[in-house]
Amino acid sequence: MMEVKSLLSERTQFMKASDIRELLKWVTEDVISLGGGMPDPSTFPKELADIARDVIATKGSSALQYGKTEGVDELKDELIRFMAKDGIKADRDEIIITTGSQEALDLVGRITIDAGNVVITERPTYLAALQAFKAYRPNIVGIDMDSEGMVMDKLEEAVKKSISDGRRIKFIYVIPTCQNPTGISMSIDRRKHLMELASKYDLLIVEDNPYSYFLFDGIYVPPLKSMDYENRVVYMSTFSKIIAPGIRVGWVVGNRELIRWIAMAKQAVDLHTSTLSQYIALEALRRGIIERNLPRIREVYKVKRDAMLDALAKYMPEQVTWTRPIGGMFVWASVNGVRTEDMLPVAVSKYKVAYVPGKSFYPAEDVHTSMRLNFTYPSVDMIYEGIRRLSNAIRDELKRSGN
Amino acid sequence: MMEVKSLLSERTQFMKASDIRELLKWVTEDVISLGGGMPDPSTFPKELADIARDVIATKGSSALQYGKTEGVDELKDELIRFMAKDGIKADRDEIIITTGSQEALDLVGRITIDAGNVVITERPTYLAALQAFKAYRPNIVGIDMDSEGMVMDKLEEAVKKSISDGRRIKFIYVIPTCQNPTGISMSIDRRKHLMELASKYDLLIVEDNPYSYFLFDGIYVPPLKSMDYENRVVYMSTFSKIIAPGIRVGWVVGNRELIRWIAMAKQAVDLHTSTLSQYIALEALRRGIIERNLPRIREVYKVKRDAMLDALAKYMPEQVTWTRPIGGMFVWASVNGVRTEDMLPVAVSKYKVAYVPGKSFYPAEDVHTSMRLNFTYPSVDMIYEGIRRLSNAIRDELKRSGN
């Protein structure tokens, strides 16, 4: 039996299992989990079974074979049409298909970040993005948000400071629409301001956009990529929430030279994304199944979001505040005087409810009073019951801490 | 438009597109390619279309949903049974499912290699393994092979030298059965010797075993992992050649602590491998389709290997030598006095035949006289015609260089 520690690379020492993953290990049947980030399986298109059979039966010699690292050309063509509705223009060689958005995050980090480089993010931000970037040891600078998204004065201040410190900023990572974890959407003015600052300081923006396909309130927010006149936005999205996460297909749009480097990196990482999955996505787009399915997904999730907001209003003590997202999958709740990571074991074991403590969404893990609540996976009944249980856990914790 | 170069990380400067990839760009319809590494699509099991439909229709809420980073438990259970026939024992937590073997190579490199560490390989070795490892900047030491595989005296010498140089050896990477690119299989004595040396010097072995399922001549070679009494072999294999490459499913077996680190790294890279692909592989194993399909694959490839060996004997000038593999996908040919990478453009454009120049399979790219020839993808007729064309290209080149 070998001593494993001595075999590990330095970068491995910096790895950390995500809190979500650890959390999932404790969750038993009787626990209501508001902690995941999973779509409702009832939204998976029924037609996928036939599509998968047809694709294999009629195009198996391509759909089951090795493929190009950049992805299947016909899928890119469908994506070009799909994204045009959001004002995003792209050629084939400005697109690469990835193994979910997670791989896109890793590859962007891999090709750009040297240890000590600055990466700017919203604060809080998506924890798996932090995980992906941190593997390459950047200095992550989080910028506070308000109800309109990242605060631009603070961003400019941070940019200036990085420059005066002689630190290279590699990119600004943002989820402008229904952000994970907060649910906040960046206002149009703020988006314009962000693009101006990026231009002024010659910065790359990485726009992660998994949620803009399900906005519930008729409010339109254009992606940054559609406002990208200087080609400085690397845009990423995924089929995880509009087809199904299990097929692991995402995509990246950006400067063709950057896409070429991403492809070169991807070749060494996994050769290419499942051709079968790509053909399934292609066929789902081609047959109009995604377009037809989206209104239904929106309706299902709108009801669930409304249920969660209603349950929060109904059950939570006054020390709790929360966001009111116009779409997406998450509500972000904060409780003055409670350390949510410390409350979690009690919430799970005694109150039978789970959530993701907010700490891991902060680059420096220095804020402890928040939690991310998912409304897409649990049923409406489970949402009410879950929030009721959570409110009791919070009351208990507030009492214990004397607040 | 941004200046992309300045955004790239240092590691990106070391990336290089594989020669195979570059090669494929030139290959037009009228070129016979012996350069790929693709299975014959006629070997893809016909049953996959129904399996895919059934899996989605009956298990869609799992098969299309997010899954555990380590992989689907039921697939691991089937793999445990599948590998037992080769004398490999494993528990669930000693297995991780990967996005093809390529991801396994990347993840092993990622968790172990610091810049300057030594990685030992056969010389030549699989070029995509070199690509994966090189991203982490090791010092790759290639060990010469003879007809029985890696030469053990040279291995021990290299190990001693690394130790006396104070360089940490992270692992020995080998493809013991029907090696890529040479087709050579390591003899049983050599395998035992390798295990002894690994034990003596306390070294980790990474065994890549995609080909042992199709041996054509009734010669049995046990995997190193089946002789691994000290748990120092990390074993990797793939469904790419026994189901289909397009589903991108491979797996790794090893020390559970190492598997845990690999899972942690994989989580940041792509969350998990396509659950749909995993369920398809699971069902193909469960229904006995792989077991039933293997004899057919062996028969198809044996005929093609025999055709290639026959064509080589028939057409090649005496300056050409080649290996006689007992299975796998490749024959390795060498021509004294010819630089195969220089010959390639002429071979493709004038003689309409493609191959992979041997150079890229050498860690130091310092041998120029070899080429890798694939016999699994082209038809028997194409093999004869391709080898005939190649022999003419070689004669032409020999004439030009005055040999």
Side-chain angles (χ1 to χ4, degrees):
Chain A
M1 175 63 198
M2 307 188 69
E3 212 253 295
V4 167
K5 272 268 148 45
S6 71
L7 290 169
L8 302 178
S9 60
E10 211 190 307
R11 83 181 63 77
T12 311
Q13 324 288 336
F14 289 84
M15 295 194 310
K16 229 192 93 193
S18 100
D19 288 0
I20 294 190
R21 178 192 169 94
E22 294 307 308
L23 165 74
L24 287 173
K25 289 184 181 156
W26 312 342
V27 171
T28 47
E29 283 277 307
D30 55 342
V31 172
I32 295 176
S33 180
L34 309 173
M38 294 192 290
D40 184 332
S42 80
T43 67
F44 302 159
K46 296 284 165 281
E47 299 89 340
L48 289 183
D50 285 345
I51 286 182
R53 185 199 49 205
D54 295 354
V55 154
I56 294 176
T58 66
K59 292 168 192 160
S61 64
S62 308
L64 297 172
Q65 189 56 281
Y66 285 115
K68 287 199 275 192
T69 301
E70 293 85 348
V72 171
D73 280 334
E74 295 87 337
L75 173 57
K76 291 187 189 180
D77 294 343
E78 287 295 332
L79 280 172
I80 289 167
R81 274 187 282 275
F82 186 64
M83 290 187 293
K85 290 164 206 148
D86 278 315
I88 296 173
K89 291 191 196 78
D91 291 330
R92 276 187 183 177
D93 63 354
E94 295 173 305
I95 302 176
I96 181 167
I97 309 297
T98 57
T99 306
S101 271
Q102 188 65 36
E103 191 187 46
L105 293 167
D106 174 61
L107 291 174
V108 166
R110 188 169 170 121
I111 68 153
T112 60
I113 303 170
D114 285 317
N117 285 164
V118 169
V119 166
I120 294 175
T121 70
E122 289 149 335
R123 175 176 184 271
T125 189
Y126 179 42
L127 67 82
L130 289 174
Q131 238 188 321
F133 301 153
K134 279 183 175 175
Y136 304 105
R137 317 264 310 278
N139 177 18
I140 297 182
V141 177
I143 308 295
D144 287 337
M145 305 167 77
D146 61 20
S147 62
E148 291 186 57
M150 192 185 258
V151 176
M152 289 299 126
D153 289 351
K154 298 208 173 181
L155 171 61
E156 186 159 17
E157 205 175 290
V159 169
K160 282 182 177 163
K161 184 166 183 330
S162 293
I163 293 170
S164 75
D165 289 353
R167 282 179 179 273
R168 182 83 177 89
I169 302 169
K170 283 303 172 80
F171 56 83
I172 304 174
Y173 171 74
V174 282
I175 309 167
T177 304
C178 308
Q179 199 235 16
N180 183 350
T182 63
I184 293 170
S185 292
M186 198 183 278
S187 67
I188 301 213
D189 279 353
R190 206 61 73 79
R191 287 173 197 240
K192 286 183 186 153
H193 199 159
L194 175 57
M195 295 307 293
E196 283 162 19
L197 287 181
S199 179
K200 179 172 174 187
Y201 294 100
D202 194 26
L203 297 172
L204 184 72
I205 293 176
V206 175
E207 177 180 28
D208 191 356
N209 189 31
Y211 309 118
S212 77
Y213 312 105
F214 27 101
L215 299 172
F216 315 140
D217 300 332
I219 300 168
Y220 178 71
V221 259
L224 296 170
K225 187 66 187 163
S226 70
M227 308 156 69
D228 179 24
Y229 309 110
E230 299 175 337
N231 204 3
R232 56 177 71 255
V233 175
V234 171
Y235 175 90
M236 48 182 71
S237 190
T238 172
F239 289 109
S240 289
K241 284 91 189 181
I242 56 180
I243 298 182
I247 65 169
R248 307 303 301 128
V249 184
W251 70 94
V252 181
V253 181
N255 175 307
R256 50 173 59 77
E257 196 180 335
L258 265 178
I259 294 294
R260 212 154 50 221
W261 286 108
I262 291 173
M264 202 127 41
K266 179 173 167 64
Q267 191 180 40
V269 170
D270 66 3
L271 288 185
H272 62 82
T273 294
S274 164
T275 26
L276 177 58
S277 291
Q278 291 185 68
Y279 272 86
I280 291 173
L282 158 62
E283 212 43 41
L285 279 169
R286 195 177 268 165
R287 298 187 188 181
I289 285 161
I290 294 177
E291 286 298 328
R292 280 201 301 279
N293 202 32
L294 278 179
R296 202 174 60 85
I297 301 182
R298 274 183 215 118
E299 192 45 44
V300 171
Y301 290 166
K302 178 183 170 41
V303 169
K304 290 186 171 193
R305 179 209 54 182
D306 291 346
M308 182 166 275
L309 293 179
D310 186 50
L312 285 163
K314 188 167 166 187
Y315 294 118
M316 283 296 167
E318 60 177 10
Q319 292 90 335
V320 183
T321 58
W322 58 89
T323 57
R324 282 155 190 84
I326 59 168
M329 303 175 72
F330 305 108
V331 169
W332 183 244
S334 302
V335 203
N336 259 328
V338 164
R339 285 174 72 94
T340 55
E341 70 270 25
D342 297 343
M343 183 177 74
L344 185 63
V346 182
V348 170
S349 60
K350 184 169 167 200
Y351 293 94
K352 305 293 179 190
V353 63
Y355 56 86
V356 187
K359 181 180 74 129
S360 325
F361 299 92
Y362 289 88
E365 306 203 337
D366 54 348
V367 177
H368 304 270
T369 50
S370 303
M371 55 187 119
R372 193 190 71 177
L373 306 174
N374 168 261
F375 57 78
T376 56
Y377 187 74
S379 67
V380 166
D381 285 354
M382 291 294 113
I383 288 171
Y384 275 99
E385 176 61 15
I387 295 293
R388 194 189 64 79
R389 293 181 186 181
L390 184 58
S391 72
N392 288 334
I394 289 171
R395 281 201 179 79
D396 192 351
E397 190 72 15
L398 285 168
K399 207 173 294 165
R400 197 190 343 246
S401 61
N403 280 284
Chain B
M1 176 63 196
M2 306 188 70
E3 212 255 293
V4 166
K5 271 268 147 46
S6 71
L7 290 170
L8 301 177
S9 60
E10 212 191 305
R11 83 183 62 78
T12 310
Q13 325 288 336
F14 288 83
M15 295 194 309
K16 229 191 94 191
S18 99
D19 288 0
I20 294 190
R21 178 194 169 90
E22 294 306 308
L23 165 74
L24 287 173
K25 290 185 182 157
W26 311 342
V27 172
T28 47
E29 283 276 307
D30 56 340
V31 173
I32 295 177
S33 180
L34 309 172
M38 292 192 291
D40 184 332
S42 80
T43 66
F44 301 158
K46 296 282 165 281
E47 298 90 340
L48 289 183
D50 286 344
I51 286 182
R53 185 199 48 204
D54 295 354
V55 154
I56 294 175
T58 67
K59 291 167 193 160
S61 64
S62 308
L64 296 173
Q65 189 57 281
Y66 284 115
K68 285 200 275 193
T69 302
E70 294 85 350
V72 171
D73 280 335
E74 295 87 337
L75 174 57
K76 291 187 187 180
D77 293 343
E78 288 296 331
L79 280 172
I80 289 167
R81 276 186 282 275
F82 185 65
M83 291 188 292
K85 290 164 204 148
D86 278 315
I88 296 173
K89 290 191 196 78
D91 292 330
R92 276 186 183 177
D93 62 355
E94 294 173 306
I95 302 176
I96 182 167
I97 309 297
T98 57
T99 305
S101 272
Q102 188 65 36
E103 191 188 43
L105 293 167
D106 175 61
L107 291 174
V108 166
R110 188 168 169 121
I111 68 152
T112 61
I113 303 170
D114 284 316
N117 286 165
V118 169
V119 166
I120 295 175
T121 70
E122 291 149 334
R123 175 176 184 273
T125 188
Y126 178 40
L127 67 83
L130 289 175
Q131 237 188 322
F133 301 152
K134 280 183 175 174
Y136 304 106
R137 318 265 308 278
N139 177 17
I140 297 182
V141 177
I143 308 295
D144 287 336
M145 306 168 76
D146 61 20
S147 62
E148 291 186 58
M150 191 185 259
V151 176
M152 289 300 126
D153 290 352
K154 297 208 173 181
L155 171 61
E156 186 160 17
E157 205 176 290
V159 169
K160 282 182 177 162
K161 184 165 182 330
S162 292
I163 294 170
S164 76
D165 289 353
R167 280 178 180 274
R168 182 84 178 87
I169 302 170
K170 283 303 171 80
F171 56 83
I172 304 173
Y173 171 74
V174 283
I175 310 166
T177 304
C178 309
Q179 199 234 17
N180 183 351
T182 63
I184 293 171
S185 292
M186 197 183 278
S187 68
I188 300 212
D189 279 355
R190 205 61 71 82
R191 287 173 198 240
K192 285 183 186 152
H193 199 158
L194 175 58
M195 295 306 294
E196 282 161 20
L197 287 182
S199 179
K200 180 172 173 188
Y201 294 99
D202 193 27
L203 298 173
L204 183 72
I205 292 175
V206 176
E207 177 180 29
D208 192 356
N209 188 32
Y211 309 117
S212 76
Y213 312 104
F214 27 101
L215 299 171
F216 314 140
D217 300 332
I219 300 168
Y220 179 70
V221 260
L224 296 170
K225 187 66 189 164
S226 71
M227 309 157 70
D228 179 25
Y229 308 111
E230 299 175 338
N231 205 1
R232 57 176 70 256
V233 175
V234 171
Y235 175 89
M236 48 182 72
S237 190
T238 171
F239 289 108
S240 289
K241 283 92 188 181
I242 56 179
I243 297 182
I247 66 168
R248 308 303 302 126
V249 184
W251 70 92
V252 181
V253 181
N255 175 306
R256 51 173 59 79
E257 196 180 335
L258 264 179
I259 294 294
R260 211 153 50 220
W261 286 109
I262 291 174
M264 202 127 40
K266 179 173 167 65
Q267 191 180 40
V269 170
D270 66 2
L271 288 185
H272 62 82
T273 294
S274 163
T275 26
L276 177 59
S277 291
Q278 292 186 68
Y279 272 86
I280 290 173
L282 157 62
E283 211 45 40
L285 280 169
R286 195 178 268 164
R287 297 186 189 182
I289 285 160
I290 294 178
E291 287 297 329
R292 281 201 301 278
N293 202 31
L294 278 180
R296 202 173 62 83
I297 302 183
R298 276 184 214 117
E299 193 44 45
V300 171
Y301 290 166
K302 178 183 171 38
V303 169
K304 291 186 172 194
R305 179 209 55 183
D306 291 346
M308 182 166 276
L309 293 179
D310 186 49
L312 285 163
K314 188 166 166 189
Y315 294 119
M316 282 296 167
E318 59 177 10
Q319 292 91 332
V320 183
T321 58
W322 58 89
T323 56
R324 282 156 191 83
I326 59 169
M329 303 174 72
F330 305 107
V331 169
W332 184 243
S334 302
V335 204
N336 260 330
V338 164
R339 286 174 72 95
T340 55
E341 71 269 26
D342 297 344
M343 184 176 74
L344 184 63
V346 182
V348 170
S349 59
K350 184 170 166 198
Y351 293 95
K352 305 292 178 191
V353 64
Y355 56 85
V356 187
K359 181 181 74 129
S360 324
F361 298 92
Y362 289 89
E365 306 203 336
D366 54 349
V367 177
H368 303 270
T369 51
S370 303
M371 55 188 119
R372 193 190 72 176
L373 306 174
N374 168 262
F375 57 76
T376 57
Y377 188 74
S379 67
V380 166
D381 286 354
M382 292 293 112
I383 288 171
Y384 275 99
E385 176 60 14
I387 295 293
R388 194 189 64 78
R389 292 180 187 182
L390 183 57
S391 72
N392 289 334
I394 290 171
R395 281 201 180 81
D396 191 351
E397 189 72 14
L398 285 168
K399 208 173 296 165
R400 194 187 349 240
S401 61
N403 281 284

